[in-house]
Amino acid sequence: MKRIWIALLGMVFLLSACSPARSVAPVPGETQRNAITGADMSKGVSAPAYEGVESASLVVPSESAADRLVIRNADLRIVVDDPVSALDEISQLAEKMGGFVVQSNLYKTQTEEGVETPEASITIRVPAERLNDALAQIKSLVKDKNTDILSENVSGQDVTKEYTDLKSRLTNLENTEKQLQRIMEEATKTEDVLAVYNQLVSVREQIEVLKGQIKYYEESAALSMISVTLKASATVKPLTIGKWQPIGVARDALQATLKTYKFLANAAIWIVLYFIPVAVVIILPIWLIIHGLRRLSTRKSKSSQSDESLKG
């Protein structure tokens, strides 16, 4: 009778695991813990019980239009006078709103003219319901919203269906786990206990995986992610007088001067480190040979002249 129970339970396990067995793709984005609101999932109709085994309820939650699960993120690129102070203000903003800073970076970039300028980037999490408020406060850091907001992107992803499927599969697997525990308690033969135990381990592993995915969605939906890139205004806005841009002219002149100095410095390095050593190795032996031949020729000439004078 125990073997029949195990066989029937295996069938229930297969049916419950496959009921809404839709694969759930991970939420796109880095690393992302986004925002989600809790959704009450109403229970559906239970499946009929098999002979010898109590019914493992195949719960199929229904989706409500009011309980949508939407993950919202935002990305901003803005121009500020001081990226360092703006970075601190955004960090404090996240903490005041009940969020936190995921990561922040402060670094220097170099323009074509060789001028170093500060630049920063920061990623924060804020409650989803305060996303618009947070964006408004971050954009208030710029002087001119028409020119200093380089880009703004707000995206949303509806993961209600994936979340509902996960909850349904979890409920079905938990019901199957209870049936397996009951049968293992009543089993007396070693082979029956081992068979039920193996199925129980497999079910528990699947339950832990589903719980992790559900937790990921739930934690990801309570907080929205905002990524902000902060550029210094000195590197973006040129000084203009009418249609004339003296900074642009000065930049071109400085760039030409730097290129000239760079060429002269490179030429000097090549002369000192390349041409002079090569000249010493190649030209010096040639000069010594030519000089020796000249001296030998001079000696022969003097010797012949002395011989002729003696004969005369």
Side-chain angles (χ1 to χ4, degrees):
M1 188 63 182
K2 295 294 183 181
R3 295 180 182 275
I4 295 175
W5 282 23
I6 293 172
L8 292 174
L9 185 60
M11 295 174 62
V12 174
F13 167 69
L14 291 176
L15 290 172
S16 62
C18 298
S19 56
R22 182 178 286 110
S23 62
V24 179
V27 179
E30 154 220 67
T31 19
Q32 301 181 355
R33 271 172 49 200
N34 300 301
I36 199 167
T37 57
D40 292 334
M41 302 300 176
S42 60
K43 295 184 179 180
V45 181
S46 300
Y50 293 95
E51 181 181 358
V53 182
E54 294 182 3
S55 171
S57 300
L58 302 180
V59 180
V60 182
S62 62
E63 296 180 11
S64 173
D67 296 328
R68 308 304 299 176
L69 205 64
V70 180
I71 297 172
R72 299 180 66 202
N73 298 320
D75 183 83
L76 276 174
R77 292 178 66 247
I78 60 176
V79 178
V80 294
D81 290 336
D82 188 358
V84 178
S85 61
L87 190 72
D88 293 336
E89 291 187 39
I90 295 174
S91 300
Q92 295 174 10
L93 172 65
E95 294 177 359
K96 289 179 181 178
M97 288 189 169
F100 57 92
V101 177
V102 178
Q103 65 175 1
S104 64
N105 297 296
L106 180 63
Y107 48 92
K108 289 185 177 181
T109 60
Q110 194 171 31
T111 63
E112 295 181 356
E113 299 81 9
V115 180
E116 288 188 347
T117 57
E119 192 168 320
S121 63
I122 184 171
T123 301
I124 62 174
R125 300 280 186 180
V126 297
E129 63 274 11
R130 304 199 64 183
L131 174 62
N132 294 333
D133 184 22
L135 290 175
Q137 294 192 43
I138 293 174
K139 289 186 287 187
S140 67
L141 298 174
V142 306
K143 286 185 176 180
D144 188 349
K145 293 184 179 181
N146 295 324
T147 58
D148 292 342
I149 299 177
L150 303 179
S151 65
E152 178 182 1
N153 180 45
V154 179
S155 62
Q157 182 186 9
D158 189 345
V159 294
T160 308
K161 193 170 188 62
E162 291 84 352
Y163 181 76
T164 303
D165 287 346
L166 287 175
K167 295 283 288 185
S168 175
R169 292 169 59 189
L170 177 62
T171 301
N172 295 334
L173 286 173
E174 287 176 341
N175 291 337
T176 303
E177 180 187 24
K178 293 178 182 179
Q179 296 294 330
L180 287 170
Q181 289 175 338
R182 184 178 66 82
I183 291 178
M184 191 168 66
E185 290 174 358
E186 297 177 358
T188 56
K189 294 183 178 180
T190 303
E191 59 269 21
D192 294 340
V193 173
L194 290 176
V196 176
Y197 176 77
N198 290 333
Q199 292 190 35
L200 187 60
V201 169
S202 177
V203 170
R204 285 175 176 171
E205 288 178 354
Q206 295 182 60
I207 288 175
E208 292 303 317
V209 171
L210 292 179
K211 284 183 177 180
Q213 292 176 332
I214 290 171
K215 183 180 179 181
Y216 173 80
Y217 277 118
E218 291 174 344
E219 291 182 352
S220 295
L223 297 170
S224 291
M225 183 183 71
I226 305 176
S227 299
V228 186
T229 301
L230 303 166
K231 299 181 71 68
S233 57
T235 61
V236 177
K237 286 186 174 182
L239 176 64
T240 61
I241 302 176
K243 295 184 178 180
W244 181 47
Q245 296 182 357
I247 288 192
V249 177
R251 179 194 60 195
D252 296 339
L254 178 60
Q255 185 175 2
T257 303
L258 291 175
K259 286 182 179 180
T260 302
Y261 288 156
K262 181 179 178 181
F263 172 77
L264 294 175
N266 291 338
I269 292 173
W270 274 91
I271 290 173
V272 173
L273 298 181
Y274 178 76
F275 289 108
I276 292 178
V278 170
V280 170
V281 174
I282 297 177
I283 298 176
L284 183 60
I286 295 175
W287 181 84
L288 291 175
I289 292 172
I290 294 174
H291 183 68
L293 292 175
R294 285 181 178 178
R295 292 185 62 183
L296 181 60
S297 176
T298 303
R299 286 180 182 179
K300 287 183 178 181
S301 176
K302 289 180 179 181
S303 176
S304 61
Q305 287 178 0
S306 62
D307 291 342
E308 289 179 356
S309 61
L310 290 173
K311 289 181 179 179

